[in-house]
Amino acid sequence: MKNGIYICATPIGNLADISERCREILREAEIIACEDSRVTRKLLSLLGIPFSSKTFIKYEDHTEAARADAIIALALGGKSVALVSDAGSPLISDPGYKLISRCREQGVNVWVVPGPCALICALQLSGLPTNKFMFAGFIPNKDKAREELFNKLKDIDATLVFYETAPRIVKTLRKAAEIFGNREMAIAREITKIYEECLRGPAKELIEHFETKEPRGEMVFMIAPSSEQDKDSRESIEELLREELRRNNLKTAVKNLVERYHFNKNEVYQQALEIKNE
């Protein structure tokens, strides 16, 4: 086995999804860099791979910068290192990219061992457009940060993909309803596991579902790109806003349009600011 770093994708739920190549790399690698050695040891045990002679290096968000140089030194010294996350493909909202970036700078061998990835599986399940998509990682926990992120991304002409936790999904859906309106959305949960499920519909329907059925499991949240109807609606709002702003201040103009036409308040306010700042 050649020395260097092997980026190994591990199962996100179903153990049978491990590739034969990944099994071989995990069996042969002298060092395993992982987020949690307990999780990785359990995986190796389930796969029937002995690990008593292997060296495990904790490599997660808090240790990433400090451990990268040590791992690179081992690889340059002739060692084979398997980089894994707790589940799925490393580097995708998981630690690793700083390590690989430094490997590239220092001429360390790097190979990828492809396999399961929650965001790709979720897109395939959703039925939302896949020709263009943007993965935006985990949604912020703070209300203001969540709103700022959604406003920043709302005009991107692509399916938006996020990771979210079950306890926060309803709060996130409510904010998404305010900013994205009636766009199609989807939530894939427990992918490849026994209770795999993919729900699709506007935010209002998804909220109603989770208000009657407690949200559980790992979740991928997706929002379809805006339709031509949405774009026409924005153009219509802009025309009405410009007319209102000729007669009233910003606050009154927004209030009048929202009350008269039941437009989305956040969207109207944002457009009013853009017109004012021209």
Side-chain angles (χ1 to χ4, degrees):
M1 186 174 179
K2 294 181 180 180
N3 66 298
I5 311 292
Y6 295 79
I7 306 169
C8 297
T10 55
I12 55 178
N14 193 317
L15 188 66
D17 291 334
I18 190 84
S19 72
E20 284 303 315
R21 184 174 171 221
C22 189
R23 279 178 183 267
E24 181 183 352
I25 297 299
L26 293 176
R27 185 180 297 112
E28 298 297 326
E30 299 159 282
I31 297 161
I32 297 184
C34 56
E35 293 181 87
D36 187 332
S37 62
R38 293 168 298 182
V39 173
T40 304
R41 286 171 192 267
K42 181 179 180 181
L43 173 64
L44 296 181
S45 180
L46 290 170
L47 294 172
I49 297 174
F51 52 80
S52 58
S53 62
K54 296 184 185 296
T55 299
F56 290 83
I57 297 178
K58 188 176 180 65
Y59 192 78
E60 37 86 49
D61 289 332
H62 303 296
T63 63
E64 186 170 6
R67 298 286 167 84
D69 288 337
I71 293 171
I72 287 172
L74 288 166
L76 289 173
K79 300 294 185 182
S80 54
V81 182
L83 173 66
V84 300
S85 60
D86 284 346
S89 297
L91 283 75
I92 309 301
S93 269
D94 277 328
Y97 91 87
K98 292 177 183 176
L99 170 62
I100 303 307
S101 178
R102 292 192 192 182
C103 286
R104 291 300 177 197
E105 292 169 0
Q106 298 184 40
V108 178
N109 293 326
V110 177
W111 293 273
V112 66
V113 185
C117 181
L119 83 92
I120 298 300
C121 294
L123 274 169
Q124 292 169 320
L125 286 169
S126 71
L128 299 181
T130 56
N131 57 319
K132 288 189 291 183
F133 65 89
M134 176 181 174
F135 176 56
F138 284 96
I139 296 172
N141 186 26
K142 302 290 185 182
D143 292 341
K144 184 178 180 182
R146 184 188 295 109
E147 182 173 355
E148 288 174 350
L149 176 65
F150 283 172
N151 276 317
K152 183 178 178 180
L153 301 178
K154 70 178 181 180
D155 293 324
I156 291 176
D157 185 22
T159 297
L160 302 175
V161 186
F162 308 89
Y163 288 163
E164 184 55 294
T165 64
R168 296 204 303 251
I169 191 63
V170 171
K171 186 184 289 187
T172 288
L173 284 167
R174 289 197 177 110
K175 184 54 65 178
E178 287 180 26
I179 295 172
F180 296 98
N182 288 320
R183 285 198 211 178
E184 280 284 294
M185 300 180 191
I187 293 173
R189 54 180 291 274
E190 295 294 90
I191 300 171
T192 77
K193 300 178 184 177
I194 294 174
Y195 298 107
E196 177 180 282
E197 180 178 46
C198 188
L199 306 167
R200 178 173 161 176
K204 183 183 178 204
E205 290 181 13
L206 297 177
I207 291 169
E208 288 173 356
H209 172 84
F210 287 120
E211 283 179 339
T212 58
K213 185 177 180 181
E214 182 185 358
R216 292 180 178 178
E218 304 280 340
M219 295 188 168
V220 182
F221 175 45
M222 296 156 282
I223 303 172
S226 59
S227 63
E228 289 302 318
Q229 184 178 356
D230 293 331
K231 293 171 185 172
D232 292 343
S233 175
R234 283 201 296 274
E235 290 173 4
S236 174
I237 292 172
E238 182 179 348
E239 292 174 10
L240 293 167
L241 259 177
R242 289 186 183 278
E243 184 64 31
E244 277 288 335
L245 288 168
R246 292 189 188 101
R247 301 192 301 266
N248 299 301
N249 60 33
L250 186 145
K251 185 176 179 180
T252 303
V254 170
K255 181 173 180 290
N256 288 346
L257 283 190
V258 171
E259 290 181 351
R260 193 178 307 146
Y261 299 103
H262 305 289
F263 289 144
N264 181 287
K265 183 178 179 180
N266 284 344
E267 187 171 342
V268 174
Y269 182 73
Q270 189 65 33
Q271 281 195 249
L273 285 178
E274 290 171 6
I275 293 169
K276 276 289 188 181
N277 292 330
E278 286 178 351

